Amino acid sequence: MRMMLLTSGSRGDVEPFAALARRASAHGHEVRLGLPENSGVDVAGLDAVTLDVDFHRLIQTHGISQWTAVRHFRTEVGPGMRRMLAAAVRETLAFRPDVVVHHPKVLTAPAVADALGAPHVLAEFVPVVTPTREFPAPGVVNRDLGRLNRATYSVARAAERMFRRDMERACAQLPGGRAPSPASPPRATLEAISPHLLPRPADWPESVHLTGAWHEDSAAQEPDPAVAEFVRGGPYLVASFGSMAAGNPHARGRTVVESARAHGLRTLLLTGWGGLALPENLRDDDVLALPTAPLDAVLPGAALAVHHGGAGTVHTVARAGVPSVVVPFIADQPFWGRQLHRLGLAPAPVPYRKLTQATLVPAMGEAMACRERAAGVGRAVRDEDGLGSALEVLTGL
């Protein structure tokens, strides 16, 4: 098959698509991956094209918050989306695939697939588009609304209406100068989520497939010698807030390091896109700060992980069999924090605005009491083959 994979967002939105592209290519399929610029994801050896948007630069320049997005919508967010939607159409037309697999943000993917007579498949790492009565749309509402839960999923349709004019402009490239109307529903939806972290809702239709996370099963990348030496040096925790950049990263770094010391733990501080930083006066042998490290290599020996609760990090930490302290910033992160707490893998989430030693020290203690439960879930998650399940769905269309 000729597969067009289209994704948009931060690193956590790109890595799973790159993993699927590699698995599908290894099985003889012809795959092209459309992705944002400067994602930080290794796409060596893949047929990859950029979608003319750089979320890393946007976050580095303006930080993350809903209000930031509103303030910079006309100058940054809107134009970036406009370029991405048009590039997705252009690159898909050039490739002429047999199937289009797309992230929910790539709103023009159904239209270009319909124009080519190809099925399109929605891929979600967080179930924000697929309604259920069992929980509200993650990132939209942070509490259970019972019978009103399904109504919260209408927000995704509102976002589509917001970009309707940009979608129409992008679809002017299609044969006939416009998109077929109405757009067809997805032939299938792939929920790249572990059933051990989110059991399948009973009211999802059969076309929705809970595949397990999309994780490459190759050997973990070796960390550099300094990191390898650090993780061998005694009990430690891993702290990473990924692409989150808001507030005072030095204050958060101080809170994490001093809270770790209160528990006799050393700190591997991964500064990411700017969410964490190490104050100079805290530098010592019990702290190693660097932009990134291969999580699959450094997590298995950790006592716990302090992280933002992004879907990709949640699955990586769970797969390592390590308990979490979730410090959510935005979007779906509070949802995952509550879900891990419900499953006995983490204490109640600590919102980033409430992150202090007074909140983090006891949360770390609760997390370390979850180690036995986390180890058992880790064994179950490692047994999953989300990429294989996804590929089986795609080849069976």
Side-chain angles (χ1 to χ4, degrees):
M1 296 178 70
R2 289 171 64 84
M3 298 182 180
M4 187 76 196
L5 310 185
L6 297 166
T7 187
S8 187
S10 62
R11 182 171 187 151
D13 298 292
V14 177
E15 280 186 329
F17 271 87
L20 181 59
R22 286 199 173 88
R23 176 68 70 90
S25 297
H27 281 73
H29 300 288
E30 194 172 347
V31 184
R32 180 165 292 173
L33 173 63
L35 74 165
E37 299 172 359
N38 200 23
S39 70
V41 177
D42 179 13
V43 293
L46 295 176
D47 178 1
V49 293
T50 65
L51 297 184
D52 295 349
V53 62
D54 186 343
F55 288 99
H56 180 267
R57 186 191 63 79
L58 184 63
I59 291 171
Q60 290 289 84
T61 304
H62 302 298
I64 55 101
S65 77
Q66 288 91 336
W67 293 115
T68 293
V70 170
R71 284 198 305 271
H72 298 282
F73 185 86
R74 294 189 66 180
T75 58
E76 296 277 359
V77 178
M81 281 291 290
R82 188 174 305 124
R83 293 192 304 273
M84 183 269 291
L85 296 174
V89 172
R90 182 179 67 249
E91 298 296 346
T92 305
L93 285 175
F95 188 59
R96 303 193 68 83
D98 299 313
V99 63
V100 176
V101 184
H102 67 98
H103 188 285
K105 286 192 182 81
V106 188
L107 299 170
T108 47
V112 66
D114 286 350
L116 293 172
H120 63 95
V121 174
L122 178 66
E124 293 191 280
F125 310 124
V126 185
V128 295
V129 176
T130 306
T132 177
R133 290 184 294 273
E134 296 189 13
F135 48 81
V140 175
V141 176
N142 288 328
R143 63 187 181 90
D144 193 305
L145 299 180
R147 63 181 182 177
L148 298 179
N149 281 340
R150 287 185 71 92
T152 63
Y153 291 83
S154 63
V155 172
R157 293 192 292 274
E160 186 171 335
R161 290 193 294 271
M162 181 187 303
F163 293 103
R164 173 62 60 185
R165 185 170 297 179
D166 296 325
M167 293 166 63
E168 290 173 351
R169 289 195 187 109
C171 289
Q173 305 169 75
L174 297 176
R178 58 185 301 176
S181 183
S184 67
R187 183 72 61 86
T189 297
L190 302 176
E191 300 287 350
I193 299 168
S194 170
H196 296 285
L197 299 185
L198 184 68
R200 178 188 173 89
D203 56 350
W204 275 358
E206 290 184 5
S207 61
V208 179
H209 303 268
L210 190 62
T211 65
W214 295 356
H215 172 70
E216 293 187 77
D217 54 8
S218 57
Q221 179 185 346
E222 287 296 319
D224 68 39
V227 176
E229 181 179 359
F230 183 83
V231 301
R232 289 194 299 265
Y236 66 96
L237 65 79
V238 176
S240 171
F241 292 154
S243 60
M244 299 299 100
N248 187 334
H250 286 86
R252 281 196 294 274
R254 177 179 299 278
T255 297
V256 170
V257 170
E258 292 183 342
S259 298
R261 287 173 175 169
H263 284 284
L265 297 173
R266 298 171 309 123
T267 304
L268 179 58
L269 197 74
L270 306 181
T271 56
W273 286 10
L276 285 169
L278 179 64
E280 285 297 324
N281 65 347
L282 288 183
R283 293 187 180 276
D284 209 334
D285 291 343
D286 68 339
V287 183
L288 180 62
L290 64 165
T292 188
L295 289 179
D296 285 327
V298 300
L299 277 170
L304 72 145
V306 180
H307 60 91
H308 59 300
T313 304
V314 163
H315 279 83
T316 303
V317 173
R319 188 167 50 250
V322 173
S324 295
V325 175
V326 177
V327 182
F329 287 67
I330 57 170
D332 60 300
Q333 296 161 13
F335 170 83
W336 288 116
R338 294 193 306 274
Q339 186 65 13
L340 293 186
H341 179 49
R342 189 177 297 119
L343 294 171
L345 302 174
V350 181
Y352 82 95
R353 294 184 187 278
K354 296 183 179 181
L355 186 68
T356 64
Q357 277 188 261
T359 57
L360 188 54
V361 169
M364 286 181 176
E366 290 183 51
M368 287 189 286
C370 298
R371 280 185 287 194
E372 185 175 345
R373 171 67 177 154
V377 170
R379 288 189 292 270
V381 173
R382 289 193 296 273
D383 283 341
E384 297 171 358
D385 182 12
L387 291 171
S389 297
L391 198 55
E392 185 177 351
V393 173
L394 294 175
T395 55
L397 294 176

